[in-house]
Amino acid sequence: MSNITIFGAGNIGSAVAGIAVKAGANVQVIDRNPDKAAAAATGVTGAKFGEATVTGDIVVLALPFPAYDEVLAAYADQLAGKTVVDVANPIDFTTFDLALPEGAKSAAEWLAAKLPESKVVKGFNTTFAATLATGENDGAPTVVQLASDDEDAKKSVAAFIEAAGLKTVDAGPLKRAQYLEGYGALQIVLGVTEQTPWTGGFKVVK
């Protein structure tokens, strides 16, 4: 049985927590509000940000990209040696353009540079929370696209997603996160402009 920690108890964090529980993992959810963390999904252990010790071998950052600095300040040492899943779509919501630190090509590559002893996987950013929570998109299993330079880390993330009944696509090395973040940003723009429903989104047909 795997141990998975999720930072964030919002829509995406709660959906990923539900997937992890369904896959049979021991799930810890860390949030500023420990009650909200405990309510993220049935069967999770809730914990307070800044006080909790990370218990997962896989750690999912289900947070907006601007929140990453605070996570790194508090938990970088604990993330060493772990598989860290970057879920962020780094968007400036005033313009809907990608917004990254100067010189960064993607949020995932920026994170990997900040966590050289961790194995970073990009994932969950090209699906809306609703399709993650239900596990379905337009009548088919929801497909999560993954990118990483560490094949074992990518397979471990794919394993718990698929154990919950969803599907995965191997998008290749971590540099492909640039494409996935553009894909995710476009999907959000289409959702905001009501051209794509928040209960749907892009569908990968296999």
Side-chain angles (χ1 to χ4, degrees):
M1 182 179 291
S2 58
N3 297 307
I4 298 174
T5 292
I6 299 164
F7 280 88
N11 292 338
I12 292 287
S14 295
V16 175
I19 290 168
V21 169
K22 190 173 181 180
N26 294 313
V27 184
Q28 175 192 45
V29 178
I30 297 176
D31 193 87
R32 293 188 183 282
N33 182 336
D35 293 333
K36 184 179 179 182
T42 301
V44 307
T45 298
K48 185 176 177 61
F49 181 87
E51 297 178 3
T53 298
V54 174
T55 60
D57 301 310
I58 297 173
V59 179
V60 181
L61 302 185
L63 299 166
F65 182 62
Y68 280 19
D69 279 327
E70 195 167 1
V71 173
L72 294 175
Y75 287 99
D77 290 345
Q78 293 188 47
L79 298 180
K82 297 182 183 292
T83 294
V84 179
V85 184
D86 161 40
V87 180
N89 284 310
I91 298 174
D92 179 344
F93 281 95
T94 61
T95 63
F96 291 102
D97 295 327
L98 288 174
L100 288 160
E102 186 174 354
K105 295 181 178 179
S106 68
E109 290 166 288
W110 177 91
L111 183 63
K114 296 289 185 179
L115 296 173
E117 296 181 32
S118 302
K119 296 162 284 188
V120 174
V121 178
K122 187 75 186 186
F124 298 112
N125 75 300
T126 60
T127 51
F128 289 146
T131 63
L132 289 174
T134 62
E136 293 186 2
N137 185 1
D138 190 32
T142 299
V143 178
V144 178
Q145 302 187 58
L146 303 172
S148 181
D149 291 335
D150 190 296
E151 292 300 317
D152 289 338
K154 188 161 42 179
K155 288 176 182 176
S156 70
V157 175
F160 90 80
I161 294 169
E162 293 177 1
L166 289 75
K167 301 294 184 182
T168 63
V169 166
D170 186 344
L174 196 64
K175 66 182 181 180
R176 299 273 170 77
Q178 299 172 42
Y179 304 159
L180 297 183
E181 290 173 17
Y183 186 116
L186 175 59
Q187 185 166 239
I188 289 170
V189 169
L190 294 177
V192 169
T193 57
E194 300 183 344
Q195 298 180 75
T196 300
W198 296 106
T199 53
F202 295 147
K203 177 180 177 181
V204 179
V205 179
K206 295 182 70 176

